[in-house]
Amino acid sequence: MNPDNDAGQGRSGVSRRGFLGAGAVATAAAAAAAPLVATAADASPAAEGDGLVAVRVTVNGDRHAVRVDPRVTLLDTLREKLELTGTKKGCDRGQCGACTVHVDGRRVLSCLTLAATTNGHEVTTIEGLAEGEQLHPMQQAFIDHDGFQCGFCTPGQIMSAVAMVDEGPASTDDEIRERMSGNICRCSAYPFIVDAVRDGQEAMR
């Protein structure tokens, strides 16, 4: 047996050393070309708008036209496209109520609402409640009663409370608790929240 057989030619006429060298060159060429291919593929949908849907929606009285992925939520559209960050992303699973907004006057969880479904509708966020410098009565009531601690859940609490009153005023504190039960306060400021909702309801009426 030839001791230099590994470096020499085999039966195919191609040496092992030559085969490995050719493989290394091919791998390097592929690696160099890969970024160009990936960049072109990644840029194509964004540049051409492939897969996006047009949404025309009125938010806090202002008309907006945006193009979004049909899978994107109203919450992410409000925060990332329209820069309305008052609406908070809490659990992102529809369980805490921090993302509550109004669509055509009814409270919805924006983390579970597809932005595309709001086409042609009216959305109100916490930024749209006040009239200029004049706070909404429910906003003022939350301040007067210290109805918040960290404040993270407060926009959703207020939006839910306003919609609750519009649905029909609560007659007792227990009814307020029941109808606001979809909004969680991790600081446990519930007694103050109930007081705020009760007085805010009276001011709204």
Side-chain angles (χ1 to χ4, degrees):
M1 180 178 291
N2 186 350
D4 297 327
N5 188 50
D6 287 347
Q9 292 184 347
R11 294 182 180 179
S12 64
V14 179
S15 70
R16 179 174 296 182
R17 184 174 298 160
F19 175 79
L20 294 175
V25 171
T27 301
L36 298 177
V37 174
T39 301
D42 292 343
S44 178
E48 299 177 6
D50 291 347
L52 302 183
V53 296
V55 177
R56 291 175 174 81
V57 59
T58 301
V59 181
N60 300 331
D62 297 326
R63 294 181 179 180
H64 296 274
V66 295
R67 292 181 61 81
V68 298
D69 187 300
R71 299 164 297 181
V72 77
T73 64
L74 175 60
L75 173 61
D76 287 339
T77 301
L78 291 171
R79 291 181 58 82
E80 298 173 13
K81 288 277 189 179
L82 303 183
E83 298 183 350
L84 295 171
T85 56
T87 304
K88 303 305 181 186
K89 179 179 285 192
C91 65
D92 210 22
R93 289 175 172 81
Q95 297 177 351
C96 73
C99 68
T100 302
V101 300
H102 299 169
V103 176
D104 294 339
R106 301 183 63 181
R107 51 179 161 174
V108 302
L109 299 171
S110 60
C111 74
L112 297 184
T113 303
L114 294 177
T117 66
T118 65
N119 186 50
H121 295 275
E122 294 189 7
V123 175
T124 305
T125 70
I126 190 68
E127 291 92 343
L129 284 188
E131 295 185 5
E133 298 297 319
Q134 182 66 41
L135 293 178
H136 186 281
M138 192 63 74
Q139 290 175 303
Q140 187 62 56
F142 267 74
I143 292 174
D144 293 343
H145 288 279
D146 291 330
F148 51 87
Q149 288 188 37
C150 76
F152 190 84
C153 74
T154 306
Q157 298 275 1
I158 293 173
M159 296 303 293
S160 189
V162 170
M164 184 207 77
V165 176
D166 290 340
E167 292 161 5
S171 57
T172 66
D173 286 358
D174 284 342
E175 187 178 348
I176 290 175
R177 294 186 187 95
E178 174 64 26
R179 294 172 63 185
M180 291 289 295
S181 61
N183 292 79
I184 295 174
C185 174
R186 290 181 172 85
C187 300
S188 296
Y190 295 114
F192 305 124
I193 290 173
V194 172
D195 292 341
V197 173
R198 185 180 59 247
D199 281 10
Q201 174 177 269
E202 290 300 317
M204 288 176 64
R205 295 171 68 182

